[in-house]
Amino acid sequence: MAEDFNTRVIREFRENDGRVGEPFTGLPMILVHHIGAKSGAERIAPLRWFADGDRWVVVASAAGAPRHPAWFHNLMAHPDVTAEISDGEGAVETVQVHASELDEADRDRVWTWIKENNGGFADYERRTDRTIPLVGLRRR
C-alpha cells in the first residue's frame, strides 16, 4: 500500500532531523500533535510554520478547501499539545505549546506577510470563500 502524503512527510521529518523533501525542501516544519475533538484520538499534522515574535504560526488553509482542516478544530477544542519543531536545517526541538487562533488584527498583519513572501498561500485564499485562520503556538 502506498504511503499517504502526511505519513511520508512525518517519516521524512523524523528520519532526517526535521528536513523533508518536496514541496517543503529547506522550509521550517512542525509536527503538531493534536487530540481529536470528537474521537479523543491523538493525531499528528505536519505543517509549515512562520515565526512571529515568541510564537510559531501555522495556517489552517487546507490548500484552499471549503472547510477548515480537522487539526484546526482539534486544537481549538484541546489547545495544550506537543509540537516537534524544525528549522528546516537539521535542528528539532520537542515543545509543549498552547494553541490559540490569532485575532483579526493580528491575523491580517501576519497573513499579509505570509502571502507576500509565500505565494502559494495567496493561491489557497483565492480557492475558498472562507477566512483562513492562523493559529499561534506558544511555549507553555
Side-chain angles (χ1 to χ4, degrees):
M1 182 165 133
E3 189 175 44
D4 76 13
F5 181 78
N6 283 351
T7 300
R8 178 186 62 81
V9 172
I10 292 165
R11 179 184 51 74
E12 287 179 1
F13 182 101
R14 289 184 169 152
E15 288 177 354
N16 300 296
D17 298 317
R19 293 181 293 258
V20 298
E22 290 298 328
F24 304 114
T25 304
L27 299 175
M29 297 292 295
I30 188 168
L31 302 183
V32 178
H33 298 243
H34 52 100
I35 306 300
K38 294 178 184 174
S39 70
E42 182 176 332
R43 306 192 189 293
I44 300 173
L47 303 166
R48 172 92 194 278
W49 66 265
F50 301 90
D52 183 53
D54 67 345
R55 67 184 171 194
W56 300 275
V57 174
V58 293
V59 179
S61 66
R67 294 163 59 148
H68 298 329
W71 64 260
F72 172 77
H73 299 290
N74 294 343
L75 286 178
M76 296 302 98
H78 304 284
D80 291 326
V81 297
T82 300
E84 299 170 62
I85 302 165
S86 164
D87 63 4
E89 298 178 10
V92 177
E93 180 181 10
T94 300
V95 180
Q96 300 300 309
V97 296
H98 179 81
S100 59
E101 184 175 2
L102 274 61
D103 66 30
E104 184 177 357
D106 232 6
R107 181 214 174 265
D108 290 349
R109 175 185 59 79
V110 175
W111 184 236
T112 298
W113 183 90
I114 289 172
K115 291 187 304 180
E116 287 173 354
N117 293 280
N118 304 274
F121 287 98
D123 291 339
Y124 297 157
E125 184 176 55
R126 284 190 284 276
R127 293 181 196 163
T128 188
D129 293 329
R130 68 185 171 89
T131 298
I132 295 173
L134 302 184
V135 176
L137 303 169
R138 280 200 165 95
R139 188 181 301 268
R140 287 190 276 146

